[in-house]
Amino acid sequence: DSGVTQTPKHLITATGQRVTLRCSPRSGDLSVYWYQQSLDQGLQFLIQYYNGEERAKGNILERFSAQQFPDLHSELNLSSLELGDSALYFCASSSGLPPEQFFGPGTRLTVL
Amino acid sequence: AQRVTQPEKLLSVFKGAPVELKCNYSYSGSPELFWYVQYSRQRLQLLLRHISRESIKGFTADLNKGETSFHLKKPFAQEEDSAMYYCALRSGGGADGLTFGKGTHLIIQP
């Protein structure tokens, strides 16, 4: 499967903890995007990286950070977790033009 | 600030009936609008983009700048159209993060 992959599929942790979500983009895609999907807020854009550099920021909390590595995979780090951080976290990638974003299957985070 | 509104959380129609999923947006510039679809147990995928003015799986969507709308239409619904539909806006300018509506769950009844 050459599509966007995300690990892990599910993650259960406790409040105050820190977790790392991983995303591997489609082969050749330089842009990676992170989105959070919750019941009350819907799908929200968090952050975009392009070829290792931060390109755009959306509604990303200061407790959250991301990076994109030389092999273009990306990690989203969530720290000091709160109950409200429980959500589906999607990664998407694109090659640029046209700007179609291809989504991964998501990581479901549950904070207890 | 940009916003996308999908007023219907749930829309149920009978097979063969016309479908219209509403999407309104607010954005001061010239946006790019998209429709994404998520079938059961599948990942989110692009259905339509307004720039290409195409018809995919019988669906069309026209950008109406006067009414700031991008409604998705299909003349004859099919059971396989049952899915979650999301309208999204891209502001452009190098920052490609999409602003999504909250989605409409479309159910096609036999």
Side-chain angles (χ1 to χ4, degrees), chain B residues 60-79:
Chain B
T60 59
D62 289 318
L63 179 61
N64 186 324
K65 290 187 178 180
E67 296 182 0
T68 58
S69 68
F70 188 55
H71 303 327
L72 183 68
K73 299 177 184 179
K74 184 169 182 175
F76 307 104
Q78 298 172 293
E79 286 185 69

Side-chain angles (χ1 to χ4, degrees), chain A residues 1 3-4 33 35 37 40-41 43 45 48 55-56 90 98-101 103-105, chain B residues 32 34 36 38 43-46 49 86 90 93-102:
Chain A
D1 183 1
V4 179
Y33 312 78
Y35 293 86
Q37 185 179 39
D40 52 344
Q41 298 293 327
L43 258 169
F45 168 62
Q48 176 197 359
R55 184 78 169 258
F90 287 104
E100 177 175 352
Q101 294 183 23
F103 281 76
Chain B
E32 291 180 58
F34 304 85
Y36 276 80
Q38 187 171 30
R43 58 186 70 187
L44 203 61
Q45 57 187 282
L46 179 67
R49 59 173 74 89
Y86 296 92
R90 173 177 175 263
D96 294 334
L98 296 171
T99 299
F100 281 91
K102 291 201 174 180

